[in-house]
Amino acid sequence: MMSTPWILAAGRLLLIAGLALGAGLVFGRPVVWLIVALAAALVWHLYNTYRLERGLSLREGKLPRTAPGIWGLVYAGLHRLRSRSRARKKGLTRAIKEFRKSSAALPDASVVLNRDNQIVWLNHAATELLGIRKADRGLRIDTFIRDPAFIRYLRDGSDAGPVQFRSLAKPGARLLLRLVPYGVEGQQLLLGRDISDRIRMEKMRRDFVANASHELRSPLTVITGYLDSMRSDDTLPEDWRQPVSDMTHQAARMRAIIDDLLTLSRLESGAHGPGDESVDVPGLLALIRKEILVLPQRPQIIELEVNSDQGLRGSENELYSAFSNLLANAVKYTPADGQVSIRWSVDEAGGHMSVSDTGRGIPADAIPRLTERFYRVHKGRDRSSGGTGLGLAIVKHVLERHEATLEVESELGRGSRFSCHFPSSRLTPPRSVAQTQQG
């Protein structure tokens, strides 16, 4: 329905037309009078349209404040819109200023990039840590950070990062670079955090664990030797036999923890690469399966399926440690009437080793934490079964050293599958084989 101002405007136009016709009837030529009156009204509207255009023009002055008729409402509405726009603009300006002030005070480097990865804005820490100056705005960020890992991250986004980067502007500093969406579509915020102290503390922790573990081996060996002697002594009182047996069991468990800690420290140090041995993966898996089959407590079926005789380039000892840890976990959590399946296959993506079981399964919220040191899903049972809580952490580091990834799938009450995916660059030449072993 037409609003009241427009009804009044239409009524005013009709009134003018009526007066013009009346004057024409009195003085003659009513059509001429009507045309003149309507032309005058048109000129009035054209004049106000001109004033509106001049007021909206960026180069011209202000909009008119008042005008008779409907144009007064138009000008009033435009003034309200302009006032709201100015208020929003002031609010956004204040917000941007506050953001820039807070970002400038941050110890982390902050760089705003446009959709073409050109530098739009940066804070003082970006100059200190990345060597970028305000005069460099408009240049691409990869002009200053040429690290291949960062270039991939810039191209692929979150799939490739965050990445660590050795700062050239601040000698000795290690930065963690992260990209997050920011502002309008296509813009990104690059954050660079100095993690040198964290890396230094982590190295100190690893060195401490390695040294402490190494120093504990000698006294533990002595204690274990005496306990073994006591167990084999026929004159040992009967009421001492169970405590000695318990102490021997706990000493063996402590020895396993120390061995795993030393293995982890060696893997984390990364002093040497995994090597370039040609590892016979089918043979290695068959050996691990054979060792599991002699255990008194194990699932009824342990199946090995080999679809390729291709092996891997790397360290046989490290791969043995990773694969045996995965199989030991599967055996530990699978009942006697269950089944454990080991599978080795090769396709265009690379080599794939998986261990599946029909055990209790793993809660979904626990899966991301499985490779943490000493993390246990079932704490009571893990300790009673002699686990160290370090097996999957070792698996993680071995796979990282072999450029591989670990994938975990699990369903409570149905079992779990741990899959190791190796890149094709790690595969050895094929000889073609397909076989399945059960037992």
Side-chain angles (χ1 to χ4, degrees), residues 9 11 14 25 34 101 133 168 198 203 214 231 295 349 368 380 386 393 410:
L14 291 174
L25 291 175
L34 178 62
K101 285 181 182 179
R133 298 168 300 173
L168 300 178
R198 193 177 80 184
K203 185 178 183 303
H214 182 75
R231 290 182 67 187
L295 295 177
S410 187

Side-chain angles (χ1 to χ4, degrees), residues 418-430:
F418 289 76
S419 302
C420 307
H421 303 294
F422 296 87
S424 56
S425 59
R426 283 277 171 186
L427 295 173
T428 58

Side-chain angles (χ1 to χ4, degrees), residues 3 26 30 51 79 97 115 118-119 123 140 178 186 192 219 248 252 258 263 291 375 422 438:
S3 62
V26 173
R51 294 175 70 196
H79 278 292
K97 286 182 178 178
R115 62 174 64 250
Q118 294 172 326
I119 299 169
N123 66 352
R140 288 178 58 90
R178 183 187 301 274
T248 303
I258 290 173
T263 299
E291 293 173 350
Y375 179 75
F422 296 87
Q438 292 186 351

Side-chain angles (χ1 to χ4, degrees), residues 211-225:
N211 292 334
S213 301
H214 182 75
E215 293 298 325
L216 285 171
R217 294 184 75 175
S218 296
L220 190 59
T221 300
V222 174
I223 293 172
T224 303

Side-chain angles (χ1 to χ4, degrees), residues 96-111 121-128 134 189 191:
I96 291 173
K97 286 182 178 178
E98 290 298 324
F99 167 77
R100 290 184 173 179
K101 285 181 182 179
S102 59
S103 297
L106 286 174
D108 297 344
S110 302
V111 183
W121 178 86
L122 64 148
N123 66 352
H124 176 72
T127 302
E128 180 183 350
K134 291 184 178 180
L189 178 64
L191 299 173

Side-chain angles (χ1 to χ4, degrees), residues 120-171:
V120 177
W121 178 86
L122 64 148
N123 66 352
H124 176 72
T127 302
E128 180 183 350
L129 298 176
L130 299 175
I132 305 174
R133 298 168 300 173
K134 291 184 178 180
D136 297 323
R137 285 181 291 191
L139 299 178
R140 288 178 58 90
I141 187 65
D142 48 9
T143 304
F144 303 92
I145 306 176
R146 298 177 176 274
D147 185 79
F150 176 74
I151 301 299
R152 287 195 300 272
Y153 184 30
L154 199 62
R155 182 186 66 242
D156 302 336
S158 59
D159 295 336
V163 298
Q164 288 191 26
F165 167 72
R166 190 178 296 278
S167 175
L168 300 178
K170 186 178 180 181

